[in-house]
Amino acid sequence: MPRHTRLLVAGILPAVVVAALGGCSSSGDSASPTTRTTAAGSGDASGSTAGGRTADAGKVHGRLDYTGERKGGFDVTSSVACATLNGKLVAVISPDPADDQAPSQPSFSANIGAQTMATLVTPDKHTFVRVGADGVSAAKENGTWTVTLAGTELGSTDAAAAAGVTAHGTLVCTKVSGT
C-alpha cells in the first residue's frame, strides 16, 4: 500500500469509527445468549445490544500483544466503545473518544464487516493499519461483546519501515451503542 494511502487510511479510520459510535443511540439489553460477527460480516443478527454500559476506571478490559517490526503488548485499561448495526458489532475503538480521562496511546480501532479496517497505535506511538484486515471477530455472550484479534496483520504507516506487526488479543466492550 503506498505511503500516502496508509497515512490517509490511518487518519480516516478513527473519524469513521467516532462517527459510527457517536451517531448511534443506545437500545435495551437483550437476553440473546451468543451473537458472533466476523470480518466477513457473517453472524446472527438476532437480539439487540447492551446499551450505554461503561466500566470502572482502571479495570482491565482485555489485552493486545503484537510481534514483528515492533514487539510488545499492553493491558486495555481504558474504556472500549463498540457500535452495532442490526445486532452485529460493526466498530470498536479504545479508548472511547468520549472518555476525556483516557490516554491517547495505546489505542486500537476497527470497523468489522466485508472490508475490515484496523488500526493499532502502540504505547511508543507507532501506528499500524490494514484495510482488509483478517483475524478480527466479535462475539456476544451473556450480554457482553468481546472483540478478538487472531493473527491480524497490520502494516506500518512509517514509509521507512520494512514490515508491520501481527496482533493477537481481546477487548471487552464497556459501552455499546446501536441497534
Side-chain angles (χ1 to χ4, degrees):
M1 179 183 310
R3 180 176 183 253
H4 69 277
T5 303
R6 285 192 304 229
L7 293 174
L8 181 63
V9 167
I12 290 175
L13 176 64
V16 169
V17 172
V18 168
L21 292 171
C24 296
S25 62
S26 297
S27 61
D29 197 0
S30 150
S32 174
T34 303
T35 303
R36 184 163 183 78
T37 304
T38 63
S42 63
D44 177 1
S46 63
S48 52
T49 63
R53 279 187 268 168
T54 55
D56 301 328
K59 185 176 177 184
V60 176
H61 306 292
R63 177 161 181 87
L64 294 178
D65 293 297
Y66 49 94
T67 59
E69 178 183 324
R70 299 271 177 203
K71 293 180 173 87
F74 54 92
D75 288 333
V76 179
T77 56
S78 61
S79 53
V80 180
C82 297
T84 60
L85 180 63
N86 298 325
K88 295 180 186 179
L89 192 123
V90 296
V92 59
I93 187 166
S94 179
D96 178 352
D99 184 355
D100 57 2
Q101 301 300 312
S104 59
Q105 296 93 14
S107 68
F108 178 77
S109 59
N111 66 323
I112 302 170
Q115 185 73 332
T116 296
M117 182 176 4
T119 301
L120 169 70
V121 180
T122 63
D124 58 354
K125 301 180 184 179
H126 290 275
T127 302
F128 300 90
V129 66
R130 170 76 33 110
V131 175
D134 292 325
V136 181
S137 62
K140 182 180 180 184
E141 190 167 333
N142 298 322
T144 302
W145 281 100
T146 301
V147 176
T148 302
L149 280 70
T152 304
E153 295 180 4
L154 305 170
S156 177
T157 59
D158 181 359
V165 297
T166 301
H168 298 272
T170 59
L171 298 110
V172 177
C173 300
T174 60
K175 180 174 113 180
V176 180
S177 302
T179 60

